[in-house]
């Protein structure tokens, strides 16, 4: 067992974990963050994506001990219980989710993409949006609603940030 | 699908990491991005008893050292796409790295991890082989410089010895602005390639001064096409578009592996088709200066 | 029932989904999120050989683990099994023991159950269980299953055919005699898995104080799971609760009763502790259910003008090692035989269909069930006929589709009104430029473009008679809903469906809200829990909208009638004059004479002295809605435009169009989502997904690195067009649509490839390897 300190969604906590425990399992069990989902446990589906020090990372390919002293963010912290992040709202409008299992992974992968495009003040084309989500598998929607939600969220950010 | 138990060590310096790897020998593995290793551990296809986490080591630089650029083992794939040195001197590397996996893998996967893992269809090993890169490996016994031609030994097999760790890869700077192309064919964008080819060349007044051609999918390791290179070196750039018979001569010698994804013959002919296109594209880019 | 004054306001509108907030915020709770005190974690030891006798199971090494574990094997579970038998004499009986007893029949079959108080340790422990196998000859293919020399998979069996039967109507010999052309072809679709993003999982807890057993399962059919467990374990069903929590996709895969569900319940009773099993991705691909492993030989009897006179079909399905519950090994072949006449008008049909046993994972229900394979064969055949007769493929279909409704086909199934010809015409109009481009690139040395269509119908929401005919273990397809209003003017809908992405919490709220005159946000829809919902068959067979929505509508309308009576009494008007809407009851001709619905509900439930004399208190109604005898028939045309690079065999899906008719649309947002999602699964079936076994039935594609699902970059925008032909057979005019999207793509894409390359395409997948072979044949 190794003692580590994690800052998860802003809360700093020290805990003792076995070296082999995946970050995904520790977030789910020790921090009760059920929004972290495991879809394949081999890095192919993106369901378990969280942010480690601001960078999207697959929590099924990360050991919790590697994150000692780091800051971790999960979908629970992105837009709160009402899911108020611009991207979450766009997901609702565009019907970008059905069963919801892959959804937190898509949100955590794509929220930084939306931010990056907003910073560049650029509305990417459809291919670029699809590439941005190429590491996430959605089995329900056929991706179209997700593409539309990302487009809407970026358009909205650009619209508010810099009028066209 | 959870890993077997192991001991975790967080290396605080290269010396520390090398001491840990020396201590644990065959049982020890460096952990960098973990994008391949941890997936294999979850499937219990890999069971290192000791993991040496090297993420805190200062191996994250891309720097020019004399006539080479030296890339640290911890340089993430995505970094290549934003680096000026790479953009200026190694356009084919940039093009190839863009084909690796997907954004999250590119953000977290590392140079050292990809080269050490030596997946037969991975992009970085192919790019290293194309550019005759030098692999720098360190152990308590000292530093070894291994030519890429000697580094890849087989599928998932390299010249690295127990206790040894890849620290850098070095690419020799070109004498003049290089042109080239990287092409791969996969079922889905981001998948490991069924076959991939890469071409890099320098020209002088419309003449091919220097050319390197490599492919993956032909063998368990990336290979060069020396005969094809020799046939084209010194020729006019326009020869690139009509290299069909030279390509055929090269691919006729290949006996690629066949599997459920593609037959041996499919891979051989695919390599020929991709080479024809890559050479033509390199030629076009040279003439157009892009 | 509703009156003309009831103007729907929410049904038919793009209402955003009520469930989304929970799912988007991390607030959903799936099976793996259930954590109970003292819970044991189950890990299976699964068969590593496809066919072998078990000589012994050694657990001696577990002592080295330093953690308490318990192991159960086939010897511990008596006769407990999955028994799925079609009640016809031709069907050979078999059982799937919950844990293999003396013999394993496919790689991945559960052999031992290992329990530990931590899932990592359970996985360590399972690795230490050593199973000694004596290999048996493997039955690896349809040919081997039909070979009398192959060993039977079950003792006492004659050969390896689960069942072979026939369906026929008309006089096939007459059609043959009258035919100007006889066209015979064989088509096959390959084996694949279903792959919801959340795998399966089961948690069970027994509470001795109440003698109450609770089973949580990631299932689409909680009531059927409850009954099966109760019957198999001999446990009183009234003390058994099955809960499907949030379910991360199902697509039919989670529509069978699995051995793991029964076993986990039994283990909770046996150990006295809660037990949890979470399927990992490898287990899911290996050993949940597979689908689509069909081979069809069709012989069409065609008149000189292209009119089909009759069709003869021979249908084989490699259904793997066991029969699945409730639709049995006959489910897929029977469905293919039943639907093969499709949207076309001919009265002579004969099908022989058989289910073949091999040492592979069992075939179960996956979105479309038999129909994607049947439509692949049928629609490839239409193109092959068109090619042979030199008729344009769309024109050939227009000459053959049913145009007059209701229509009774050769097997006696009656189709409700649809828009088969209209969908074809619309597709032709949308494809004009692509057809021209394809023609202009014929013979092009580098690249080709092809256009392909698939025209099909989807029987959905079929009722009891359809299941009785099939003689499967469940002989019904009804959905029940109970609607109860609360004193504050809201309503609770308890429905026997289980929503795992279909948006039932929203759509059922829309339906109830319109009937009751309140807002969808004031309706709370509960589903997936046998404790709160009335007995029903669950969510499968595209019955959520037509039957679930219909049942809610009927029940809510009954309450609405009572609300109107109360309002009439309080407003001193006649009942016929009252309209419910906007949270109020008002006199239709004088809307300022109104009363809030909350006052009516309060009167009915709390201040009952305000009710009309003699009226009983309460505002609750229930409706169990069976499907129409032959179901409703949605129809669609799918069209694919592909571009193929000859040198590399790279295929790009340029366009995918669906023109579909699912009757009345309840929520366009949800309908489009279902259609698109289904289509992309169908594209996956055609181009990417493939479950491969080698000659020894060892699986080769057990991770997502080998089993390829469609990803966003490969998928084009799916263009969806609707034609709305309401059915008279369901209360809201809705037909089923959940499966339709997945049915057409393989056929449309194959037809497009055949068009582009001008070669016959007789099988799937159409991946790089297959394209290469077609180009270089």
């Amino acid at each position: 067992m190794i003692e580590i300190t994690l800052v998860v969604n802003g809360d700093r906590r020290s805990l003792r974990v076995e070296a082999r425990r995946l970050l995904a399992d520790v977030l789910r069990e020790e921090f009760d963050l059920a929004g972290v989902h495991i879809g394949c446990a081999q890095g192919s589906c993106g369901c378990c994506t969280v942010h480690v020090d601001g960078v999207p990372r697959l929590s099924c390919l990360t050991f919790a001990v590697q994150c000692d002293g780091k800051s971790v963010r999960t979908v629970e912290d992105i837009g709160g219980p009402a899911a108020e992040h611009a991207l979450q709202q766009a997901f609702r409008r565009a019907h970008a989710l059905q069963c919801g299992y892959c959804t937190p992974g898509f949100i955590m992968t794509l929220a930084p993409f939306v931010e990056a495009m907003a910073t560049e003040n650029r509305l990417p084309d459809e291919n670029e949006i699809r590439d941005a989500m190429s590491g996430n598998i959605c089995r329900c929607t056929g991706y179209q609603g997700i593409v539309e939600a990302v487009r809407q969220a970026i358009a909205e950010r650009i619209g508010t940030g810099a009028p066209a | 699908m959870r890993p077997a138990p192991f001991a975790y060590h967080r290396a605080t310096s290269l010396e520390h990491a090398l001491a840990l790897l020396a201590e644990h020998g065959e049982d020890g593995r460096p952990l960098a991005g973990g994008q391949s290793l941890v997936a294999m551990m979850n499937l219990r296809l890999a069971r290192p008893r000791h993991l040496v986490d090297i993420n805190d080591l200062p191996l994250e630089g891309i720097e020019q050292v004399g006539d080479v650029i030296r890339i640290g083992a911890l340089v993430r794939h995505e970094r290549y796409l934003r680096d000026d040195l790479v953009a200026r001197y190694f356009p084919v590397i940039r093009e190839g790295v863009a084909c690796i996996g997907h954004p999250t893998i590119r953000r977290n996967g590392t140079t050292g991890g990809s080269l050490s893992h030596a997946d037969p269809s991975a992009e970085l090993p192919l790019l290293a082989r194309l550019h005759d890169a030098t692999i720098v490996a360190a152990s308590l016994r000292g530093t070894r410089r291994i030519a890429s031609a000697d580094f890849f030994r087989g599928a998932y097999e390299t010249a690295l010895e127990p206790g040894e760790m890849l620290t850098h890869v070095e690419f020799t700077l070109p004498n003049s602005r290089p042109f080239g192309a990287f092409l791969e064919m996969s079922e889905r964008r981001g998948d490991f390639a069924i076959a991939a080819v890469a071409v890099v060349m320098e020209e002088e007044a419309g003449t091919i001064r220097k050319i390197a051609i490599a492919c993956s999918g032909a063998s368990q390791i990336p290979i060069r096409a020396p005969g094809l290179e020799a046939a084209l070196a010194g020729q006019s750039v326009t020869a690139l578009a009509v290299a069909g018979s030279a390509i055929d001569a090269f691919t006729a010698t290949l006996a690629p592996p066949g599997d459920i994804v593609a037959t041996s013959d499919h891979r051989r002919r695919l390599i020929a088709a991709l080479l024809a296109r890559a050479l033509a594209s390199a030629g076009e880019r040279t003439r157009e200066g892009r | 029932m509703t009156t003309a004054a009831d103007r729907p306001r929410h049904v038919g509108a793009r209402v955003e989904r009520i469930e989304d907030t929970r799912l988007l915020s991390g607030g959903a709770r799936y099976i793996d999120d259930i954590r109970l005190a003292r819970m044991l974690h189950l890990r299976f030891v699964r068969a590593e050989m496809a066919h072998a006798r078990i000589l012994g199971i050694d657990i001696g090494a577990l002592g080295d683990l330093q953690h308490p574990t318990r192991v159960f094997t086939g010897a511990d579970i008596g006769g407990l099994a999955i028994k799925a038998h079609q009640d016809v004499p031709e069907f050979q009986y078999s059982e799937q023991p919950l844990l293999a007893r003396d013999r394993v029949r496919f790689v991945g079959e559960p052999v031992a159950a290992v329990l530990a108080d931590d899932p990592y340790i359970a996985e360590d422990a399972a690795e230490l269980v050593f199973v000694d196998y004596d290999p048996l000859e493997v039955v690896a293919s349809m040919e081997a299953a039909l070979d009398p020399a192959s060993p039977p998979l079950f003792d006492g069996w004659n050969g390896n055919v689960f069942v072979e039967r026939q369906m026929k109507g008309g006089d096939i010999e007459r059609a043959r005699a009258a035919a100007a052309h006889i066209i015979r072809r064989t088509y096959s679709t390959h084996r694949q898995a279903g792959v919801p993003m959340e795998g399966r999982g089961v948690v069970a807890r027994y509470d001795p104080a109440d003698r109450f057993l609770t089973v949580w399962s990631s299932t689409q059919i909680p009531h059927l799971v409850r009954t099966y467990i109760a019957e198999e374990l001999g446990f009183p069903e009234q003390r058994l609760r099955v809960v499907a929590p949030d379910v991360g996709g199902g697509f039919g895969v989670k529509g069978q009763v699995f051995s793991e569900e029964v076993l986990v319940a039994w283990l909770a009773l046996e150990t006295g502790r809660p037990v949890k099993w979470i399927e990992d991705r490898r287990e899911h691909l290996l050993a949940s259910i597979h689908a689509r492993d069909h081979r069809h030989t069709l012989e069409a009897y065609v008149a000189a003008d292209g009119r089909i006179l009759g069709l003869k079909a021979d249908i084989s399905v490699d259904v793997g090692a066991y029969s699945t519950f409730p639709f049995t090994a006959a489910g897929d072949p029977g469905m293919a035989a039943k639907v093969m006449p499709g949207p076309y008008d001919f009265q002579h049909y004969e099908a022989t269909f058989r289910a073949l046993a091999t040492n592979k994972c069992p075939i179960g229900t996956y979105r479309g069930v038999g129909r994607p394979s049947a439509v692949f064969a049928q629609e490839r055949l239409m193109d092959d006929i068109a090619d042979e007769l030199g008729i344009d493929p769309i024109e050939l279909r227009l000459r053959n589709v049913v145009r007059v409704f209701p229509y009774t086909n050769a097997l006696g199934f009656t189709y409700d009104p649809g828009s088969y010809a209209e969908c074809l015409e619309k597709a032709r109009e949308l494809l004009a430029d692509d057809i021209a481009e394809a023609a202009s690139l014929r013979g092009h040395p580098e690249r080709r473009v092809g256009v392909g269509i698939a025209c099909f119908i989807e029987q959905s929401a079929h009722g009891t008679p359809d299941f009785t005919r099939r003689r499967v273990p469940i002989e019904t397809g009804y959905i029940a809903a109970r609607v109860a209003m609360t004193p504050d003017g809201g309503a609770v809908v308890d429905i026997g469906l289980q929503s795992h992405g279909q948006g039932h919490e929203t759509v059922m709220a829309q339906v109830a809200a319109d009937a009751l005159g309140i807002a969808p946000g004031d309706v709370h829809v509960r589903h997936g829990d046998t404790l709160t919902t009335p007995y029903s068959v669950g969510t499968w067979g595209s019955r959520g909208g037509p039957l679930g929505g219909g049942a809610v509508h009927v029940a809510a309308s009954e309450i609405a009638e009572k609300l109107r009576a109360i309002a009439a009494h309080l407003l001193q008007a006649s009942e016929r004059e009252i309209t419910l809407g906007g949270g109020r009851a008002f006199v239709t001709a004088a809307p300022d004479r109104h009363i809030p619905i909350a006052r009516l509900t309060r009167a009915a439930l709390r201040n009952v002295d305000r009710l009309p004399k003699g009226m009983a208190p309460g505002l609750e109604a229930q409706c169990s809605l069976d499907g129409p005898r032959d179901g409703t028939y949605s129809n669609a045309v799918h069209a694919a435009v592909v571009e193929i690079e000859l040198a590399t065999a790279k295929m790009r899906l340029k366009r995918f169009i669906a023109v579909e008719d699912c009757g009345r649309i309840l929520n366009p947002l949800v309908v489009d989502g279902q259609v698109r999602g289904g289509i992309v699964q169908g594209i996956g079936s055609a181009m990417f997904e493939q479950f491969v076994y080698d000659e020894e039935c060892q699986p080769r594609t057990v991770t997502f690195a080998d089993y390829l699902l469609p990803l966003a970059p490969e998928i084009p925008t799916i263009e969806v067009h609707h034609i709305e032909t309401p059915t008279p057979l369901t209360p809201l005019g809705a037909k089923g649509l959940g499966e339709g999207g997945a049915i057409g793509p393989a056929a449309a894409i194959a037809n497009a490839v055949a068009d582009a390359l001008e070669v016959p395409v007789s099988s799937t997948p159409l991946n790089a390897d297959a394209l290469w072979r077609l180009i270089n044949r």
Side-chain angles (χ1 to χ4, degrees), chain C residues 442-480:
Chain C
R442 294 256 183 274
H444 193 279
E446 283 161 19
R447 69 189 184 97
R448 306 283 171 81
V449 165
V451 179
I453 65 158
C455 174
F456 62 95
I457 53 177
E458 180 198 359
Q459 184 202 28
S460 56
H462 18 314
T464 299
D466 195 72
F467 297 99
T468 311
R469 273 191 294 256
R470 292 196 223 171
R471 314 290 291 277
V472 290
I474 55 159
E475 292 191 345
T476 188
Y478 74 87
I479 300 297

Side-chain angles (χ1 to χ4, degrees), chain B residues 1-5 41-45 47 102 184-192 194 258-263 265-271 273-274 277, chain C residues 32 43 120 123-124 127 280-282 645 647-651 687-688 690 692 700-701 703-711 713-714 767-769 772-773 776:
Chain B
M1 285 172 62
R2 296 293 186 275
M41 289 173 70
N42 285 350
L43 285 159
R44 300 203 175 194
L45 296 173
R47 315 168 161 260
H102 50 73
E184 71 175 35
M185 167 80 183
S186 54
E187 295 277 3
R188 304 172 303 182
R189 225 176 298 174
D191 283 339
F192 281 122
I194 299 170
D259 53 31
I260 60 170
V261 176
T263 61
D265 183 54
H266 180 174
R267 281 205 168 84
R268 180 172 50 243
R269 291 165 65 182
L270 182 58
I271 289 166
L274 292 175
R277 187 168 308 169
Chain C
D32 197 16
R43 179 80 187 174
Y120 283 65
E123 190 165 343
D124 296 344
E127 284 192 309
D280 70 31
R281 188 50 68 188
R282 187 170 177 277
E645 211 175 70
T648 59
K650 183 75 189 168
M651 173 160 80
M687 293 172 61
F688 302 105
Q690 183 178 203
V692 181
R700 303 283 301 272
T701 51
T703 72
F704 280 169
D706 306 304
Y707 188 90
L708 306 182
L709 294 164
L711 296 172
E714 279 68 38
N767 56 13
D769 179 53
W772 184 268
R773 289 168 199 266
N776 298 292

Side-chain angles (χ1 to χ4, degrees), chain C residues 219-500:
Chain C
T219 181
Q220 302 170 217
I221 50 170
H223 289 96
L224 301 186
V225 170
R226 187 184 75 182
T227 300
Y228 196 95
I229 292 174
E231 288 180 353
E232 193 60 17
L233 301 186
F235 193 91
E237 193 166 350
Q238 69 278 11
R239 294 187 172 277
L240 176 50
R241 174 189 186 188
V242 174
V243 189
D246 281 314
V247 169
F251 317 119
V253 175
K254 295 173 181 173
Q256 11 264 311
V257 177
F258 285 100
S259 60
E260 291 94 341
E261 290 170 310
V262 187
L263 183 72
V264 170
W266 181 80
L267 287 169
L269 291 168
E270 189 69 16
T271 61
R273 289 178 63 178
V275 175
K276 179 186 209 175
W277 168 67
I278 300 298
E279 180 183 65
D280 70 31
R281 188 50 68 188
R282 187 170 177 277
E283 288 180 292
H284 180 82
L285 290 167
L286 264 182
S288 51
I289 54 107
H290 288 168
R292 312 276 192 262
D293 199 344
H294 285 232
R295 185 186 305 154
H296 303 169
T297 296
L298 302 183
E299 192 165 286
Y301 309 114
V302 186
D305 64 355
R307 291 269 311 175
I308 294 164
L309 305 172
L311 182 69
K312 191 170 172 182
D314 183 273
I315 293 164
S316 292
V317 181
D318 175 348
V319 301
Y322 293 107
S323 184
T324 47
F325 186 95
F327 297 112
T328 81
D332 252 58
M335 177 67 91
K338 182 176 76 168
V339 304
M340 195 63 85
Y344 304 116
D345 175 14
F346 59 86
Q347 287 295 321
H348 307 290
Y349 175 64
E350 181 181 307
T352 303
F353 61 98
R354 62 185 71 81
L356 302 171
T358 61
N359 291 116
K360 298 176 188 169
C361 176
I363 292 275
T365 55
Y366 167 54
R367 204 172 196 168
V369 192
R371 285 167 291 202
S373 303
V375 169
F376 179 81
Q378 180 191 82
E379 288 299 282
R380 277 298 304 126
L381 180 70
M382 290 305 280
D383 269 27
D384 282 342
I385 294 170
D387 191 42
E388 188 121 341
L389 271 63
I391 302 174
D392 170 76
I394 296 179
E395 176 57 31
L396 179 78
R397 287 169 174 85
L398 282 167
R399 285 184 200 176
N400 281 286
V401 287
V402 172
R403 289 167 183 267
V404 180
F405 300 96
Y407 171 83
T408 300
N409 79 4
L411 292 174
F413 288 89
T414 300
Y415 303 169
D416 54 348
S419 52
Y420 311 173
E422 295 87 330
C423 286
L424 282 165
E425 299 280 12
K426 177 75 183 172
R428 179 154 66 180
E429 174 194 321
L430 293 164
L431 290 165
D433 291 348
D434 303 287
I435 291 169
E437 190 188 10
S440 76
L441 290 171
R442 294 256 183 274
H444 193 279
E446 283 161 19
R447 69 189 184 97
R448 306 283 171 81
V449 165
V451 179
I453 65 158
C455 174
F456 62 95
I457 53 177
E458 180 198 359
Q459 184 202 28
S460 56
H462 18 314
T464 299
D466 195 72
F467 297 99
T468 311
R469 273 191 294 256
R470 292 196 223 171
R471 314 290 291 277
V472 290
I474 55 159
E475 292 191 345
T476 188
Y478 74 87
I479 300 297
R482 185 171 54 232
V483 181
M485 296 199 78
T486 46
D488 61 355
V492 176
V493 172
D494 289 322
I495 188 156
L497 293 167
Q498 191 286 324
S499 183
H500 43 284

Side-chain angles (χ1 to χ4, degrees), chain A residues 20-22 25 28 32 34 39 42 88 92-93 95 97-101 126 130 139-140 142-144, chain C residues 17 21 24 30 32-33 118 120 124 194-195 281 669 673 676-677 681 689 703-704 710 712 715 717-718:
Chain A
R20 62 167 163 165
R21 298 284 153 165
L22 299 178
D25 288 328
R28 290 175 48 76
D32 205 17
Q42 55 151 125
Q88 290 171 317
R92 213 182 269 123
R93 281 196 304 275
H95 190 33
L97 68 156
Q98 287 179 25
C99 82
Y101 196 79
E126 181 173 334
R130 285 180 183 267
R139 196 64 173 146
C140 293
Y143 301 105
Q144 196 157 328
Chain C
R17 298 202 319 171
T21 299
L24 280 163
Y30 299 89
D32 197 16
D33 302 328
D118 177 278
Y120 283 65
D124 296 344
V195 199
R281 188 50 68 188
L669 206 64
R676 288 182 183 129
Q681 286 190 6
E689 298 175 48
T703 72
F704 280 169
I715 301 302
T717 295
I718 310 294

